Amino acid sequence: MALLVQKYGGTSVGSIERIKAVAEKIIAYKNQGNDMVIVVSAMSGETNRLTDMAKQIDPAVRGRELDVLLTTGEQVTIALLSMALHKLGQPAVSYTGAQVKILTDNAYNKARILSIDSGNIQQDLAGGNVVVVAGFQGVDEKGNITTLGRGGSDTTGVALAAALKADECQIFTDVDGVYTTDPRVVPEARRLKKITFEEMLEMASLGSKVLQIRSVEFAGKYGVPLRVLSSFVEGEGTLITSENNEDDTVEQAVISGIAFNRDEAQLTINGVPDTPGVAYQILGPISDANIEVDMILQNVGADGTTDFTFTVNRNDYDMAFSILRKTLEKLGARVASGNNKIVKLSIVGVGMRSHAGIASKMFQILAKEGINILMISTSEIKISVVVEEKYLELGVRALHEGFDLAEK
Ligand code: ADP
Ligand code: ASP
Ligand code: MG
């Protein structure tokens, strides 16, 4: 008998019909002799709908009350799914994050899980129940409701699997696994049978939203066997593993996948006097405003001044620009400019470590399509470039083909 934690995403529980279908699926697993803990998201579109309402009151809304609002989405789904299970004769108990006691820190809207009290769940399982838990939410020490950031139900699933020492955490979604790139952009993309935690973490961090970054971090850290599967079609999905075992090395490609991120913006300040401390003077006020900087580029010109470019999340663009204008005056720099119509394309693969020339191949593929590269950044297992937004689809498709990732 196995203990399975299954997470069903928004589309999978997007209508009453789908909730009923999920209930049937769960019962089939239960009847095979498995103990079942289910994590659900809000019905598709619900979290956006709630966010939009809050923004109509305050466009810059954040903090405690937003979390009180957003957690209602998942509370609806746990109740409906439990009712559907009851109707089919399956005992089930629903829990909000606070009822389980998924303890988090108090960083509203992006809280981190600190611990999970699994006592009630264990008892309910022993009593033959399916346990249904609301994803994306927890409670801080003082009893305030918190949320884990968009896509956070994945993390609830993995954290519960770790706490309960489940045999597998299965993420059911609207694709049948992790693909070489988003199949919505490249229909020829190929499903990966396996991907390492390290690669999946890079893919997620570089924009592949199929799994929330923290869920992958958590699974890697606690050794939770993690699988991505479709709610709608049967299949083995994609297993996220700690290592490639031997028989995989034969088919191990140099590049495993291509990720992209549309939420990027670039800022540049030109003609900054090139003296020690300028990087700090430019980026210090940005980080003081809680704005995360991703890529950084600095060039020293012949006249002894420097040009400094960096990227931020597109949501932070306006604020970053107004901070940069103030810095411009302070430093006596020449000009500040920006572009919020840029995207980041990345190739990811552990095979890159042992292969030279991958970067130049990437640049050659993009050059052939006439795509200008604005910035480049590399690590051991990834290469990212910033390009203009209009080249996103073309660039991803060209790289997918150039690195021969499609189904053969
Ligand atoms: P859920 O609501 O179930 O959590 P998400 O929308 O968060 O689902 O994640 C699934 C989506 O992730 C897919 O529909 C797909 O468009 C997108 N996606 C992005 N990159 C990939 C990838 N490399 N492989 C599979 N899906 C991807
Ligand atoms: N409902 C939340 C969201 O849309 C959490 C999740 O679905 O994972 O981001
Ligand atoms: Mg998701």
Side-chain angles (χ1 to χ4, degrees), residues 19 42 81 91 123-124 161 195 200 216 247 253 282 284 321 344 347 362 392 400 402-403 408:
I19 290 175
L81 179 59
Q123 255 181 25
D124 289 330
I195 183 169
M200 192 64 238
V216 186
D247 50 316
I282 294 167
F321 209 157
K344 184 164 71 174
I347 57 174
M362 181 184 194
L392 186 135
H400 198 266
F403 282 103
K408 289 190 191 88

Side-chain angles (χ1 to χ4, degrees), residues 147-217:
T147 64
L148 310 177
R150 294 306 302 265
S153 297
D154 296 335
T155 303
T156 306
V158 173
L160 270 170
L164 295 162
K165 300 195 172 50
D167 294 279
E168 194 164 280
C169 178
Q170 304 177 331
I171 306 287
F172 283 91
T173 181
D174 55 5
V175 269
D176 64 345
V178 178
Y179 277 67
T180 45
T181 193
D182 190 339
R184 285 183 212 227
V185 172
V186 183
E188 298 78 29
R190 179 170 48 88
R191 180 175 58 84
L192 299 163
K193 283 192 180 133
K194 289 183 183 179
I195 183 169
T196 64
F197 281 114
E198 202 183 3
E199 287 170 315
M200 192 64 238
L201 193 59
E202 284 285 5
M203 291 276 283
S205 308
L206 295 167
S208 303
K209 291 180 179 128
V210 58
L211 286 174
Q212 199 199 30
I213 303 169
R214 276 190 197 158
S215 72
V216 186
E217 262 169 18

Side-chain angles (χ1 to χ4, degrees), residues 7 9-10 40-43 47-48 70 74 135-136 149-154:
K7 176 256 171 177
V40 282
S41 292
M43 294 168 79
T47 311
N48 287 343
L70 294 187
E74 272 71 10
F136 172 61
R150 294 306 302 265
S153 297
D154 296 335

Side-chain angles (χ1 to χ4, degrees), residues 220-397:
K221 189 166 163 195
Y222 295 99
V224 177
L226 183 61
R227 194 183 288 275
V228 176
L229 298 144
S230 162
S231 292
F232 309 112
V233 294
E234 292 290 315
E236 58 174 15
T238 300
L239 184 67
I240 299 71
T241 61
S242 39
E243 261 169 64
N244 285 304
N245 42 36
E246 267 174 41
D247 50 316
D248 289 336
T249 44
V250 187
E251 62 161 330
Q252 176 63 53
V254 180
I255 304 301
S256 294
I258 296 166
F260 53 85
N261 193 358
R262 300 176 202 267
D263 310 328
E264 303 271 336
Q266 174 187 312
L267 294 126
T268 300
I269 180 161
N270 297 100
V272 185
D274 187 25
T275 52
V278 281
Y280 173 66
Q281 281 174 289
I282 294 167
L283 295 182
I286 300 283
S287 97
D288 290 345
N290 258 326
I291 297 174
E292 241 176 83
V293 171
D294 180 15
M295 289 193 196
I296 303 171
L297 192 76
Q298 189 185 349
N299 268 330
V300 180
D303 63 352
T305 65
T306 176
D307 297 338
F308 198 95
T309 301
F310 58 96
T311 62
V312 297
N313 188 294
R314 216 175 269 186
N315 290 332
D316 294 326
Y317 177 73
D318 290 337
M319 202 199 283
F321 209 157
S322 70
I323 294 170
L324 198 63
R325 278 204 203 93
K326 284 186 203 134
T327 309
L328 176 91
E329 279 169 36
K330 223 165 104 193
L331 291 178
R334 216 165 29 237
V335 60
S337 59
N339 184 356
N340 63 355
K341 297 259 178 314
I342 56 154
V343 293
K344 184 164 71 174
L345 313 182
S346 309
I347 57 174
V348 175
V350 286
M352 231 184 263
R353 280 196 186 113
S354 48
H355 284 77
I358 303 299
S360 58
K361 182 170 174 181
M362 181 184 194
F363 305 152
Q364 189 187 21
I365 293 168
L366 296 172
K368 234 164 107 190
E369 301 295 337
I371 300 174
N372 193 29
I373 298 173
L374 305 171
M375 289 175 92
I376 301 170
S377 113
T378 65
S379 81
E380 228 192 341
I381 67 161
K382 74 116 206 274
I383 303 163
S384 300
V385 296
V386 168
V387 302
E388 280 181 53
E389 188 175 64
K390 63 181 180 200
Y391 293 129
L392 186 135
E393 277 83 7
L394 178 64
V396 173
R397 285 190 197 128

